[in-house]
Amino acid sequence: MKFDYNSYPYPSTRRTIFGKNGMVATSSPYATSAGAKILLEGGNAVDAALAASMTLPVVEPTGNGLGSDMFALIYFEGKLYGINASGRSPKNISIEKLIEKGYDKMPSCGVNVINTPGLICGVMKLHEDFARLGLDKIFEPAISYAEEGYPVTPQIAKLWGESVEKYKNLNRDEFEEFFKSFTINGRAPRDGEVFKSPDLASTLREIRDTKGESFYRGDLAEKIASEVERLGGFLSLDDLRDFEANYVNPISTNYKGIDIWEIPPNGHGISVLMALNILSEMEIKDREDPKTIHKIIEAIKLSLTDAKTYVADPDKMKIEIERLLSKDYANDRRAKISERAKSPEAFKINSSDTVYFATADKDGNMVSMIQSNYAGFGSGIVVPGTGISLNNRIENFYFEEGLANSLEGGKLPYHTIIPGFMTKNKDALGAFGIMGAFMQPQAHVQVLMNMIDFNLNPQAALDAPRIMWIDDKKIQVEKDFRPEIIDELKNLGHEVEVVSDFKNMGRGQIILKDKDVYIGGTEKRTDSNIFSY
């Protein structure tokens, strides 16, 4: 028998999952199992999230690595916390220096696009402040998967193959270590094939044993900085030594009685809140009504266009967050929406890879967490002997002087990863997130409206077909939309492309709380699953 594990020609139904004592929802069955193991051993939601966080770079390296950034929202003992573990640009980088290297636009991969990685520092800060179990237990599943291996899941095998082909076609010496560390005889592992990474296992042990110090100020930091220097890049030992993850105050808006929370800029979660504010006083009918879909598209266009203009390192923003979330702003932008598709000051939407996951425990604590290299394996630069793949987050800066998000040394970039959370009357309603670069806020808006406006349960809210605004009047819609809806969107002035590939439409997880019961939904567009008990 020869199976295609990415082919599912017949519709199938995932069911909403319930649990009383805890829940873990991730994009990988192995990461879900890691979090489940920790909950069953007495860990809390933060312990489970950290176990998943450290397992995902091993089992889903196509979306994140130990060189990733991370954001999280943590509902702990009745209070909501936010953490920003995104790194700053190297102090020594500039647009001028990239021009001297021959670039006329921001590079997308290679040694010159590496930002200071924030994930490990963020993990250690959360462990110190919220965790119940020791690092030895939390890191054990990730180390086990790295050392003993795991069968690669179908969607990850597909994405892995795309990355290998990408780096082969670029044919640059700086990717040599990627092929040593993340291929089997020069090819991507196939679905169901066991992949091992003893280098990652050793690195995880060193991170665990030094509580992350080695990564920023010890042996691992020396290896990272040395490899970047050897390849002629900008990230230095000083950049690593000076990094610190920070707690931030989450931002919110009330949408039809429910408070929606996001991480503040430099993340673009604010664009979700801006779009919801625009939509909050519009007539929203049936989800299948093309006029409703049109309004959602136009609101998303405006909020993303404005986020592109204003979101940046908070110290560099040229407008107050409060103003972007104000009624005056929403009223002004709402007035720009007409019955026909319009062309805002648009920007191209790029594909990206990220991992989102959520956890909950018997005490009502919940975590909404997301981490990413940005695009696939990130920069494609892997530190020899460590399994550390380094991000390409520099690509999110603008290659133009004088803008809020222009590339400068030591600066936080416009960031695409956005965990979400919901509360009502200060009580937790649940954690949600949908990965996928500039699709993330678009999917947040659509999935939230599916639940709040259209009363779809969490699983159905994730299953529902999605739309992605690309630029100008161009949109992509999933093939599950009825043909008459697609035709009417065209009549309203939208340039519609129907897509069958799930990759760019986002991959989400939801854990809601109703009194003492958790309610979970997980993404049909990837290898997701949920543990509950």
Side-chain angles (χ1 to χ4, degrees):
M1 292 183 290
K2 294 183 179 180
F3 301 125
D4 180 349
Y5 293 105
N6 279 300
S7 174
Y8 298 91
Y10 306 112
S12 63
T13 301
R14 293 189 181 199
R15 296 285 178 174
T16 300
I17 302 297
F18 296 93
K20 190 173 186 297
N21 295 311
M23 189 170 281
V24 180
T26 86
S27 54
S28 164
Y30 308 121
T32 299
S33 296
K37 182 176 188 292
I38 294 301
L39 286 181
L40 292 172
E41 291 182 354
N44 62 24
V46 175
D47 294 307
L50 298 184
S53 172
M54 290 296 91
T55 299
L56 282 161
V58 179
V59 301
E60 200 167 323
T62 54
N64 73 137
L66 296 180
S68 288
D69 284 342
M70 177 268 280
F71 289 157
L73 290 163
I74 307 100
Y75 188 85
F76 191 82
E77 296 181 353
K79 183 178 179 181
L80 187 65
Y81 300 83
I83 188 166
N84 182 331
S86 65
R88 295 183 178 273
S89 59
K91 295 183 185 70
N92 196 35
I93 200 170
S94 68
I95 294 173
E96 183 180 357
K97 288 181 178 177
L98 287 178
I99 291 172
E100 289 173 0
K101 284 175 172 273
Y103 294 102
D104 57 6
K105 62 180 181 179
M106 203 64 73
S108 61
C109 61
V111 76
N112 295 308
V113 293
I114 301 168
N115 240 32
T116 309
L119 170 64
I120 298 303
C121 184
V123 163
M124 293 302 155
K125 188 177 283 285
L126 291 181
H127 180 264
E128 180 179 354
D129 294 336
F130 297 104
R132 183 180 295 162
L133 302 182
L135 289 172
D136 55 341
K137 284 190 176 293
I138 289 170
F139 273 64
E140 188 278 328
I143 292 170
S144 176
Y145 284 123
E147 197 155 60
E148 298 174 19
Y150 59 93
V152 175
T153 54
Q155 181 74 352
I156 300 311
K158 180 182 178 184
L159 296 174
W160 208 319
E162 290 173 2
S163 289
V164 169
E165 288 306 306
K166 169 185 170 181
Y167 297 130
K168 276 184 178 177
N169 290 336
L170 289 170
N171 192 28
R172 285 155 39 182
D173 290 344
E174 61 184 340
F175 301 134
E176 180 181 356
E177 192 61 32
F178 166 82
F179 286 97
K180 289 181 181 178
S181 299
F182 288 106
T183 65
I184 299 173
N185 299 323
R187 61 166 175 81
R190 303 183 179 100
D191 41 18
E193 187 172 15
V194 173
F195 183 80
K196 300 179 182 180
S197 181
D199 287 345
L200 261 178
S202 297
T203 296
L204 287 163
R205 287 193 179 95
E206 185 160 347
I207 291 169
R208 175 199 65 189
D209 294 344
T210 65
K211 297 184 177 180
E213 280 295 300
S214 179
F215 196 93
Y216 294 97
R217 284 165 280 278
D219 184 56
L220 290 174
E222 295 276 0
K223 290 178 179 178
I224 293 168
S226 175
E227 179 65 1
V228 173
E229 182 180 11
R230 183 184 75 82
L231 295 173
F234 295 98
L235 185 71
S236 71
L237 196 56
D238 282 344
D239 294 313
L240 292 164
R241 285 173 175 164
D242 291 344
F243 179 75
E244 187 65 37
N246 295 302
Y247 288 112
V248 294
N249 293 321
I251 56 175
S252 70
T253 195
N254 187 279
Y255 183 72
K256 302 187 178 179
I258 294 175
D259 290 315
I260 311 300
W261 297 87
E262 300 277 355
I263 294 287
N266 56 310
H268 70 169
I270 191 172
S271 65
V272 177
L273 309 182
M274 292 156 63
L276 291 174
N277 284 343
I278 294 167
L279 289 160
S280 64
E281 296 186 20
M282 301 187 79
E283 185 180 12
I284 301 296
K285 295 182 178 179
D286 188 283
R287 188 187 185 279
E288 299 288 303
D289 183 346
K291 291 182 179 179
T292 292
I293 298 169
H294 166 75
K295 291 171 186 175
I296 294 170
I297 294 167
E298 295 302 294
I300 284 170
K301 281 184 189 179
L302 293 170
S303 65
L304 274 177
T305 298
D306 291 339
K308 182 217 177 213
T309 303
Y310 296 118
V311 169
D313 185 322
D315 292 337
K316 303 289 185 178
M317 284 183 61
K318 299 180 179 181
I319 190 171
E320 298 86 0
I321 290 171
E322 292 77 13
R323 186 175 174 192
L324 292 173
L325 296 179
S326 70
K327 286 187 176 181
D328 287 344
Y329 168 84
N331 291 339
D332 178 78
R333 299 310 264 159
R334 190 182 304 116
K336 302 292 192 295
I337 296 177
S338 71
E339 295 181 358
R340 299 279 302 171
K342 286 187 176 180
S343 302
E345 183 181 352
F347 64 110
K348 185 175 175 58
I349 303 294
N350 291 316
S351 172
S352 183
D353 297 286
T354 301
V355 291
Y356 171 81
F357 47 100
T359 61
D361 64 30
K362 60 184 177 62
D363 298 316
N365 302 313
M366 303 179 76
V367 177
S368 178
M369 193 167 176
I370 194 162
Q371 59 199 47
S372 173
N373 265 343
Y374 185 45
F377 284 87
S379 61
I381 303 302
V382 177
V383 181
T386 69
I388 297 172
S389 59
L390 295 169
N391 66 76
N392 66 321
R393 190 58 67 174
I394 288 289
E395 188 183 1
N396 268 145
F397 284 108
Y398 301 150
F399 199 81
E400 182 180 348
E401 301 283 4
L403 303 176
N405 190 48
S406 297
L407 176 63
E408 299 173 21
K411 185 177 179 180
L412 293 170
Y414 180 116
H415 224 290
T416 56
I417 61 176
I418 52 171
F421 205 86
M422 292 181 284
T423 62
K424 187 170 185 177
N425 300 325
K426 298 185 179 179
D427 293 328
L429 278 184
F432 69 93
I434 299 96
M435 53 194 102
F438 290 97
M439 180 59 189
Q440 289 187 51
Q442 302 192 53
H444 275 215
V445 171
Q446 293 174 65
V447 170
L448 285 167
M449 293 183 73
N450 286 344
M451 292 188 287
I452 297 170
D453 290 284
F454 310 126
N455 294 313
L456 293 180
N457 68 55
Q459 186 59 57
L462 288 169
D463 288 345
R466 295 178 192 152
I467 292 168
M468 179 166 63
W469 174 58
I470 302 299
D471 60 28
D472 198 25
K473 298 178 184 178
K474 297 176 184 176
I475 61 170
Q476 290 182 345
V477 302
E478 289 186 308
K479 64 177 182 179
D480 295 348
F481 278 103
R482 290 186 285 112
E484 56 266 34
I485 293 175
I486 294 170
D487 288 342
E488 183 57 26
L489 289 173
K490 291 177 181 177
N491 290 337
L492 292 171
H494 298 282
E495 299 173 14
V496 182
E497 178 189 2
V498 180
V499 296
S500 58
D501 189 344
F502 286 157
K503 177 184 175 184
N504 294 333
M505 285 294 177
R507 299 176 294 158
Q509 318 293 332
I510 299 172
I511 299 178
L512 301 185
K513 191 173 191 296
D514 183 10
K515 298 176 183 176
D516 60 349
V517 173
Y518 291 115
I519 308 162
T522 191
E523 183 61 70
K524 72 177 184 180
R525 297 166 181 82
T526 190
D527 307 315
S528 305
N529 72 346
I530 287 180
F531 163 82
S532 70
Y533 78 114

